[in-house]
Amino acid sequence: MPIRFERLSPERVIVANTVGDILVLTQVEFERLIALDLRPGDGLYERATERLLVAREGARAPLQLLALRLRSRMAFLRDATALHILVVTLRCEHSCPYCQVSRRNTGAERYDMSEETALLALEVAMSSPAKAIKLEFQGGEPLLNFPLIAFAVEAATRMAEVKGKAVEFVIATNLALLDDKILTFCQNHHIHLSTSLDGPADLHNRNRPRPGGNSHALAAAGIQRVQEFLGRDRIGALMTTTDASLDRVEEIIEEYVRLGLDGIFLRPLSPYGFAMKTRWYDGYDSDRWLTFYERGLRHILDLNHRGIRFPEFYASLLLQRILTDQPIGYVDLRSPAGIGIGALVYNYDGKVFASDEGRMLAEMGDQTFELGTLGKTDYASLVTSERLIDLVGGTLSQTSPECRSCAYEAHCGADPVYHHATQGDAVGIKPLSGFCSRQKGILRILIETLERGGRDAAVLRSWVSR
Ligand code: SF4
C-alpha cells in the first residue's frame, strides 16, 4: 500500500499510511516491511496489515476502507466556509508591539465598519453552504464599536432564521472595555468571548502596553466577570509566545490555571502585522519555541496527573487527527487549505480576504490574499475566484514537494499565507519553514508519547475522547 516514513533515530522509523495510521518500527522491521518479507503469524505482518500499510495483492477491501476513511477526514469540504470574521474597527487602546493587526488610535472613527458594510458581509456569510455559521467580531478592539456588533448580531439572527442556519457568535476582545450592558447583551444572545492572556502580570503588561499599564489587571478582572456572569465555558483565552515568554512556560500555564481557564493554546508568534514592523519576529527560532512547547506540555501532563483536567489545545487538535478520522474545524491544519473555503474575513472598509493573516499582509502592502470588495461580489465569485483556486489548488500538502512523502502529512496542513509571508512562495521550501519544523517537532513528541504508553499517553487520549 502507499506508505510514507520518517526516521526518528538511526534505529527507529515512523511509517504512516495515506490517512495517517502510524507504526513505529525498528530499522530491521522497516527493511522487512519494504522488502515485503512478512508472513502471517510473525507479528509484523499483523501490525502492518491492521494499519493498512500492506495488503494482499489484488485485495480491494483495504483500498476501499482507505478511501472511505479519507472521505470522512475530508468532510470539512462539504460544509464550506463556516467561519466569517468581521473586522468591526481598526481602533485599539492597546499598542502591542507584536500586534498582528493594523491598529489605529482610538479617536479615528473612520476605521469603523458601517452598518451597510456589515449587512453586505452578512449576506455573503449566509450564502455559504455551511449549515452552522460562526461569526467572529475582531478589531482593533471590537468593543470600541460595540453598537455595530449589536446591530450585526441582531441582523444575523434574523437572517439565519430565514435561511435555516445555526449561527454562533464570538467577540475577540482584550476585555478592557467590558461593562454590564455588554455582558447582558452577550448573555441574551449566547455570545462567547475570546481574550488575550500572555501570562503573569509583568510579562503580559510588557507584551501588551496600554495607557495606565493595567492590561493584565483588566483582562484578569474581565475573565472573572464573564465566568461569574455568563459561565466558565463562555470565555477562552489565547496567548502569544514572545522572546520574553520562552523561559517562563510553567508560570504562564499556572496563570491560566489560577484564573480558572479550561486549557491553554501554546501558540508561536506569527510573522504578520506589527510583529514584523517592530522586528519582534527577528531571530525567533523554532528550536527555542519547540523547547518551550515540550517543557509546557510536560508541565501540563503533570497537572493532569495531579487531577487538574487541563488540555493543551493544539495537541488536542493534532491528537484528534492522529487518533480519529473526524475532520477538525481549525482552518490552519487543513489541505486543501482553509483560506476562503474555511474562513472569510470582511475588513471594516468592505474588502474581503481569504484569511485573517491575509488581511494583515494587505495592511503591509501585500494584496495576495484579497479576494474582492463587498457590494461588487458575492459568495460564489469569492470562492471560485482564480486567485483563490490557484492558491488552494497549488498548495495541497498531498502533492507538494517534501509534504507528499512526509509521514506526518495526514495530520498537517497547507499554510499558504505563512509560507507566502516568510518565503515569498505559497508552497514554501519545507526544510526551511518554521511551520514545518514546529509541526514535525510537535507531532514527533505526541507520537513518541503515545508509543511509550502509560499515564502520559492516557492523558493525551483523554483530551480527544472528550
Ligand atoms: S509541512 Fe512539514 S510536517 Fe507538514 S506535511 Fe509538509 S513536510 Fe510534513
Side-chain angles (χ1 to χ4, degrees):
M1 302 283 269
I3 61 163
R4 298 157 172 159
F5 62 92
E6 173 95 6
R7 197 164 285 285
L8 281 177
S9 70
E11 274 312 307
R12 290 169 70 236
V13 185
I14 288 182
V15 187
N17 67 14
T18 316
V19 292
D21 292 341
I22 279 169
L23 210 51
V24 180
L25 299 178
T26 64
Q27 178 63 23
V28 173
E29 289 172 328
F30 179 58
E31 283 168 12
R32 283 182 49 210
L33 180 81
I34 299 297
L36 293 177
D37 175 15
L38 306 164
R39 275 171 304 282
D42 70 6
L44 182 57
Y45 174 90
E46 284 73 21
R47 285 158 69 207
T49 307
E50 186 207 345
R51 299 291 162 98
L52 298 168
L53 300 172
V54 293
R56 277 188 301 111
E57 204 164 359
R60 285 178 53 79
L63 284 175
Q64 285 168 338
L65 183 56
L66 267 187
L68 196 70
R69 290 184 51 199
L70 195 56
R71 193 168 63 174
S72 301
R73 295 176 72 89
M74 294 281 175
F76 59 84
L77 291 171
R78 283 201 294 260
D79 275 327
T81 323
L83 174 62
H84 299 265
I85 297 174
L86 273 70
V87 180
V88 298
T89 181
L90 284 191
R91 292 185 290 142
C92 190
E93 27 61 77
H94 275 64
S95 51
C96 311
Y98 62 58
C99 181
Q100 293 172 18
V101 299
S102 186
R103 59 171 181 265
R104 304 287 167 172
N105 62 39
T106 46
E109 275 85 5
R110 69 179 182 281
Y111 296 108
D112 286 359
M113 181 178 271
S114 67
E115 290 185 356
E116 188 192 5
T117 304
L119 284 176
L120 290 170
L122 293 178
E123 268 168 36
V124 173
M126 294 293 164
S127 328
S128 59
K131 293 212 163 40
I133 300 277
K134 184 188 272 188
L135 284 180
E136 184 169 314
F137 300 101
Q138 285 198 10
E141 169 45 48
L143 295 187
L144 282 167
N145 194 9
F146 182 72
L148 192 272
I149 295 179
F151 171 81
V153 165
E154 280 164 359
T157 306
R158 286 193 302 273
M159 289 163 93
E161 212 173 297
V162 174
K163 297 261 184 183
K165 287 186 192 288
V167 63
E168 199 184 314
F169 303 103
V170 179
I171 304 177
T173 164
N174 59 41
L175 297 175
L177 306 172
L178 190 70
D179 60 24
D180 284 349
K181 186 175 137 229
I182 293 172
L183 277 170
T184 305
F185 186 84
C186 291
Q187 187 174 43
N188 293 341
H189 294 83
H190 307 288
I191 297 173
H192 282 73
L193 295 160
S194 167
T195 194
S196 298
L197 184 75
D198 283 0
D202 67 306
L203 177 62
H204 180 100
N205 287 336
R206 186 184 154 188
N207 282 352
R208 305 182 59 79
R210 80 183 296 277
N214 57 352
S215 175
H216 180 272
L218 291 171
I223 290 169
Q224 204 179 356
R225 276 178 86 190
V226 177
Q227 288 169 337
E228 286 164 8
F229 206 98
L230 303 178
R232 272 192 62 180
D233 59 334
R234 298 279 286 281
I235 175 94
L238 280 175
M239 53 85 55
T240 298
T241 314
T242 61
D243 206 51
S245 320
L246 288 172
D247 292 326
R248 303 183 62 179
V249 68
E250 293 85 359
E251 291 172 72
I252 295 169
I253 293 164
E254 289 298 335
E255 184 66 359
Y256 272 64
V257 175
R258 186 181 76 80
L259 290 172
L261 293 160
D262 61 357
I264 192 168
F265 196 144
L266 295 173
R267 288 200 311 167
L269 185 59
S270 301
Y272 314 106
F274 275 82
M276 295 300 269
K277 275 191 200 166
T278 51
R279 305 187 71 84
W280 270 49
Y281 193 75
D282 291 5
Y284 196 85
D285 142 338
S286 20
D287 286 346
R288 285 182 72 205
W289 187 82
L290 265 177
T291 306
F292 165 89
Y293 184 86
E294 194 164 9
R295 258 178 56 187
L297 188 63
R298 179 68 267 153
H299 190 74
I300 291 170
L301 288 170
D302 290 340
L303 283 174
N304 282 268
H305 294 325
R306 298 206 316 262
I308 301 169
R309 187 186 165 77
F310 189 85
E312 197 286 303
F313 292 131
Y314 196 65
S316 303
L317 289 170
L318 290 171
L319 288 162
Q320 188 175 329
R321 297 284 290 268
I322 296 170
L323 298 171
T324 80
D325 288 331
Q326 291 165 26
I328 58 172
Y330 191 61
V331 290
D332 291 347
L333 277 182
R334 287 181 181 182
S335 177
I339 49 173
I341 54 177
L344 281 171
V345 180
Y346 312 92
N347 208 6
Y348 74 98
D349 58 0
K351 295 271 189 322
V352 186
F353 294 94
S355 82
D356 204 23
E357 295 81 5
R359 160 177 77 108
M360 298 163 197
L361 287 177
E363 296 288 348
M364 294 158 72
D366 178 348
Q367 267 75 35
T368 306
F369 297 92
E370 186 178 321
L371 299 179
T373 305
L374 291 170
K376 296 183 185 160
T377 187
D378 57 15
Y379 175 78
S381 341
L382 289 166
V383 294
T384 56
S385 64
E386 258 180 56
R387 179 176 286 199
L388 187 66
I389 288 173
D390 281 353
L391 284 164
V392 173
T395 57
L396 298 171
S397 61
Q398 292 87 342
T399 56
S400 294
E402 188 84 7
C403 300
R404 69 176 170 219
S405 57
C406 173
Y408 306 122
E409 188 279 325
H411 310 312
C412 196
D415 195 339
V417 191
Y418 175 90
H419 290 107
H420 174 84
T422 53
Q423 299 185 5
D425 175 82
V427 175
I429 301 169
K430 297 298 167 22
L432 304 178
S433 151
F435 168 80
C436 176
S437 53
R438 283 194 298 272
Q439 284 295 98
K440 285 192 173 181
I442 299 175
L443 283 161
R444 183 182 172 141
I445 293 167
L446 296 177
I447 289 166
E448 290 197 299
T449 308
L450 289 173
E451 274 291 310
R452 275 196 304 276
R455 292 199 314 160
D456 287 350
V459 170
L460 293 188
R461 286 178 188 279
S462 75
W463 293 348
V464 174
S465 55
R466 189 184 193 194

